[in-house]
């Protein structure tokens, strides 16, 4: 079997105006859908970050991909993920770049999507689910966590394509944000007393604020949850952990910012900066990389969870298959999927359903989903018509909130 | 595809009387050959440690294996390698047990062989080499290192089955052993000036002796080689490393004794005890485990090499496929294979050939080798006739050298 074509589809999907310390989500999230076509006319698919830069990245790899045996593609492209380490952990972190926009992890992102599409292609050719090509599932159902956000009014999309707002505005006045966040978590804990809770200020806090909040919410977050990226940088996370431990609080710190790739782990372990790694199949190097990471986390006593951005059903299934073959996944995965509009789903049959908070791993070949080509065409059209070519939450904040808005860390 | 039968073949193969700090090799090395038979009459094979205990271990797993889908077997049996950690690193080490005789790694050994046999079965069913089921090769040729031993006179085997001695006796008088070993390495360095050298006293030395030898052979072992298990235990290795570094000598310490499984790695990294992990597909958890380990070693700046015991061609090929799909394999692999007698090979066509010190990874399905059933039957007969049911180098020393011989560490 040979790959005879690589199709790269940049698409745009409506995204509600969610707020985070990065700024504000643009009306469209950008995604890329890949199709790897075999000489037997079988098509393997994957979904990853969007915009022009990554689409160009795939084009630059076209000559290495077309003609390759999909069973060997991951090995053939291994230089993309095993090359020399670039930058310091701070450069590689998501402190100054939103996920999907850091040039230092471009190679990993390209590799991940191609590995996943090749696995899907091989699975379809063999009529085997992807998880069966990776040793076989260790769980049939993959749990995902719920994910509330502060948000502006609006449902995403622009102009005639603007979507209805299902949720309405949910903002805290800036000077009150810390108190409101603490109170929110307390109320969630009261409402769902048995449920593990997390909170993710996306590095917005100083070490001192992080420690204060960690202490204030020791009970609420300590019950099987974690405190995600309270502050920026490996040293900041390490200092928060140390001070919380000194106060007798062992709420673990999760991160998809300080630790975003394998080369960050040595420093993190040495400094005890991050206790729960939030991996991401889109930039850690694909599904096998998540399996490697699981073994590494188990070995070093770290927890493992999964990070997410705005995405569609192909990504959901890649995440679910990764989770199904990673024994040491110690937390339910994150996903923005519930925030996406069914109107934009490119998976045939519409949005994939969670049952009791879980995605079930079926016996269907590959990732288990097909592309609806009409829907994909609509996504491409949306991309061609919208003005966004990369994710820029800061620009969106400047447009709607404050023309001088900058990401300042720590903010509180 | 379903597994309909598991065949467990205990065999014995002639083994020359090699000396090490464990004692003396018995006239026969014991191996187990596995056959996993599918409902389509395709047979997957693997080779592992021998003797009665492991054969019983496979029998105990029979009901979990027969009936399983070979694509899912590794996931189904994951509890064997992801269960709770047993013992301290010293209990798990090979300080007091030769490889293959530690009850604490029995589960990993069983799992490894079953994973490999399942991969071979899947590869044969799909007409794909095993490495293509693991992401695809990152190298076509796998380099192996040469491996001289001190030995007694004799070629292995007993009675009418005694084999000619191709090499003769090669022993150093005990009081001179350290000087002779140092001189041997120096002469090797002179004879092969560009070649990286290693030496492996199998924990026989005290920390002080280890440091002395490390200093004496700084030039010879520092040139891309390593000093393997000079002393016993994680703390001993750590002390040797520290003292050598203080003396400005950064010859790395390799180990297949202090570190024998994933749970040992955290302590080793923390104490900087082992810089080159000598993995083994037979007890680290199979081929995927070696891939995980490669990523872990790269992440923590550790080298990776491969350990070996007396074995036949099926093990050679499992090692070669593991090496082919592990980018971060930083040293040529060890193998005892050249010491085995062609007369005992169970692989059809006879012993696998090294070309320029390398095994070439072909495109043949599975591991790329078939069983010669007549040869396998002879191996079983040899097993049934010989008195050995487990590896015991100490007993063999008592028989031939000193009735009171014990493994005393450190010896020098």
């Amino acid at each position: 079997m040979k790959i005879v074509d690589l199709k790269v589809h940049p698409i745009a999907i409506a995204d509600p105006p969610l707020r985070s310390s990065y700024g504000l989500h643009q009306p469209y999230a950008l995604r890329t859908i890949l199709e790897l076509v075999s000489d037997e006319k079988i098509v393997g698919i994957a979904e990853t970050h969007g915009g022009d830069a990554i689409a160009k990245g795939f084009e630059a790899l076209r000559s290495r991909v077309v003609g390759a045996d999909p069973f060997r593609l991951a090995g053939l492209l291994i230089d993309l993920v095993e090359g020399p380490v670039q930058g310091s952990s701070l450069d590689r972190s998501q402190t100054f770049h939103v996920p999907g926009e850091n040039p230092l992890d471009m190679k990993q992102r390209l590799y991940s999507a191609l590995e996943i599409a090749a696995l899907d292609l091989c699975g379809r050719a063999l009529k085997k689910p992807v998880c069966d090509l990776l040793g076989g599932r260790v769980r049939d159902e993959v749990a995902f966590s719920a994910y509330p956000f502060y948000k502006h009014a609006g449902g995403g999309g622009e102009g005639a394509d603007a979507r209805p707002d299902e949720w309405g505005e949910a903002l805290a006045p800036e000077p009150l944000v810390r108190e409101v966040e603490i109170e929110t978590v307390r109320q969630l804990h009261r409402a769902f007393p048995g449920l593990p809770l997390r909170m993710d200020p996306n590095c917005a806090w100083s070490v001192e604020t992080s420690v204060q909040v960690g202490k204030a919410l020791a009970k609420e977050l300590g019950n099987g949850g974690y405190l995600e990226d309270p502050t920026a940088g490996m040293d900041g996370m390490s200092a928060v952990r140390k001070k919380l431990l000194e106060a007798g609080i062992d709420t673990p710190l999760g991160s998809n910012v300080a630790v975003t790739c394998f080369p960050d782990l040595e420093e993190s372990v040495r400094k005890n900066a991050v206790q729960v790694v939030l991996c991401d199949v889109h930039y850690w190097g694909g599904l096998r990389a998540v399996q490697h990471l699981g073994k590494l986390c188990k070995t070093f006593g770290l927890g493992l969870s999964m990070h997410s951005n705005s995405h569609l059903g192909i990504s959901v299934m890649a995440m679910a298959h990764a989770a199904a073959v990673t024994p040491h996944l110690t937390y339910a995965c994150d996903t923005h999927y519930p925030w996406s509009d069914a109107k934009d789903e490119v998976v045939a049959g519409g949005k994939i359903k969670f049952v009791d908070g879980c995605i079930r791993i079926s016996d269907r070949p590959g990732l288990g989903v097909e592309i609806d080509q009409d829907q994909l065409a609509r996504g491409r059209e949306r991309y061609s018509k919208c003005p966004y070519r990369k994710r820029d939450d800061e620009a969106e904040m400047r447009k709607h909130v404050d023309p001088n808005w900058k990401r300042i860390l720590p903010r509180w």
Side-chain angles (χ1 to χ4, degrees), chain A:
Chain A
M1 186 163 58
K2 267 193 182 163
I3 296 166
V4 296
D5 198 7
L6 162 66
K7 295 182 186 173
V8 181
H9 305 285
I11 64 168
I13 62 176
D15 202 25
L18 305 178
R19 272 289 282 275
S20 79
S21 79
Y22 290 106
L24 180 60
H25 282 212
Q26 292 158 326
Y28 293 99
L30 309 178
R31 302 295 285 169
T32 309
I33 307 297
L34 279 195
E35 291 183 293
L36 279 186
V37 185
S38 84
D39 50 357
E40 297 159 355
K41 310 272 182 233
I42 301 168
V43 181
I45 61 177
E47 175 187 346
T48 187
H49 298 271
D52 282 357
I54 195 163
K56 272 184 203 151
F58 287 120
E59 291 305 331
L61 288 171
R62 175 176 294 280
S63 64
R64 297 182 66 188
V65 173
V66 173
D69 178 341
F71 283 93
R72 298 190 179 180
L73 189 64
L76 283 170
L77 299 179
I78 199 73
D79 55 290
L80 297 177
V81 289
E82 292 270 328
V85 178
Q86 294 179 282
S88 70
S89 66
L90 197 62
D91 299 326
R92 292 190 298 268
S93 80
Q94 291 173 359
T95 303
F96 308 112
H97 298 277
V98 288
E101 295 296 345
N102 186 342
L104 289 188
D105 68 10
M106 174 65 97
K107 286 179 180 178
Q108 283 94 314
R109 282 183 279 129
L110 296 167
Y111 183 88
S112 300
L114 288 164
E115 188 233 29
I116 292 167
L119 280 167
D120 184 56
L121 175 51
C122 294
R124 284 168 203 269
L126 305 176
K127 300 187 169 53
K128 296 275 177 201
V130 160
C131 56
D132 283 8
L133 306 184
L134 298 167
R137 67 195 67 180
V138 296
R139 54 181 69 86
D140 268 323
E141 290 184 333
V142 176
F144 285 81
S145 59
Y147 216 149
F149 270 91
Y150 293 111
K151 73 179 277 293
H152 288 217
E158 276 185 319
D161 189 42
R163 312 299 168 89
D165 185 356
E166 289 183 52
W167 307 279
E169 184 181 277
L171 286 174
E174 286 242 343
L176 292 177
V177 91
R178 187 171 70 203
E179 286 67 31
V180 171
E181 287 193 272
I182 291 176
E183 188 50 33
T184 302
V185 172
R186 284 193 176 141
Q187 288 192 14
L188 281 168
H189 183 66
R190 261 175 251 133
F192 307 101
L195 223 60
L197 295 176
R198 313 164 181 178
M199 72 186 299
D200 178 13
N202 273 307
C203 310
W205 302 338
S206 66
V207 169
E208 291 63 37
T209 301
S210 302
V211 172
Q212 276 176 34
V213 179
K215 286 179 181 173
L217 294 175
K219 183 178 67 174
E220 289 81 359
L221 299 176
N223 180 32
Y226 52 78
L227 178 53
E228 180 174 338
D229 289 312
T231 198
M234 207 71 90
D235 291 327
M237 292 289 280
S238 176
V240 173
R241 174 65 170 169
K242 187 161 178 281
K243 290 183 186 195
L244 285 176
L245 282 179
E246 283 166 4
I249 294 164
D250 68 351
T251 304
L253 304 185
S255 182
N256 65 287
V257 177
V259 170
T260 62
C261 58
F262 285 94
D264 297 334
L265 284 159
E266 187 277 332
E267 184 182 353
S268 176
V269 165
R270 184 162 34 85
K271 296 182 172 172
N272 194 12
V274 172
Q275 293 75 52
V276 182
V277 177
L278 310 188
C279 69
D280 190 314
V281 297
H282 305 93
Y283 57 76
W284 274 83
L287 304 198
R288 291 185 188 90
V290 169
Q291 289 184 295
H292 302 329
L293 178 62
K295 198 77 187 182
L296 188 155
C297 286
K298 184 178 169 73
T299 301
F300 285 88
L302 304 174
L304 182 65
S305 184
M306 210 179 276
H307 164 259
S308 144
N309 283 125
S310 307
H311 62 81
L312 295 175
I314 304 172
S315 281
V316 170
M317 291 314 299
M319 294 161 72
H321 278 267
V325 294
T326 304
H328 186 73
L329 184 80
T330 55
Y331 293 89
C333 304
D334 280 346
T335 177
H336 280 233
Y337 193 51
W339 292 95
S340 73
D341 190 341
K343 196 177 159 185
D344 300 336
E345 180 58 87
V346 297
V347 157
K351 282 183 79 168
I352 293 156
K353 284 174 191 57
F354 294 93
V355 178
D356 296 331
C358 292
I359 296 287
R360 196 165 173 82
I361 303 290
S362 77
D363 288 343
R364 285 195 294 273
L367 295 172
V369 288
E370 312 287 330
I371 288 179
D372 178 327
Q373 290 291 341
D374 293 336
Q375 282 293 89
L376 181 62
R378 286 183 198 105
R380 291 195 66 141
E381 201 191 340
R382 227 177 281 118
Y383 185 85
S384 69
K385 285 185 178 168
C386 83
Y388 309 102
R389 287 299 174 266
K390 64 170 194 158
R391 180 175 169 185
D392 191 343
D393 296 24
E394 233 175 25
E396 198 65 13
M397 275 295 272
R398 290 193 196 119
K399 201 159 140 185
H400 293 281
V401 179
D402 172 357
N404 299 310
W405 197 87
K406 271 188 188 157
R407 187 168 203 231
I408 294 161
L409 298 178
R411 187 168 291 273
W412 291 291

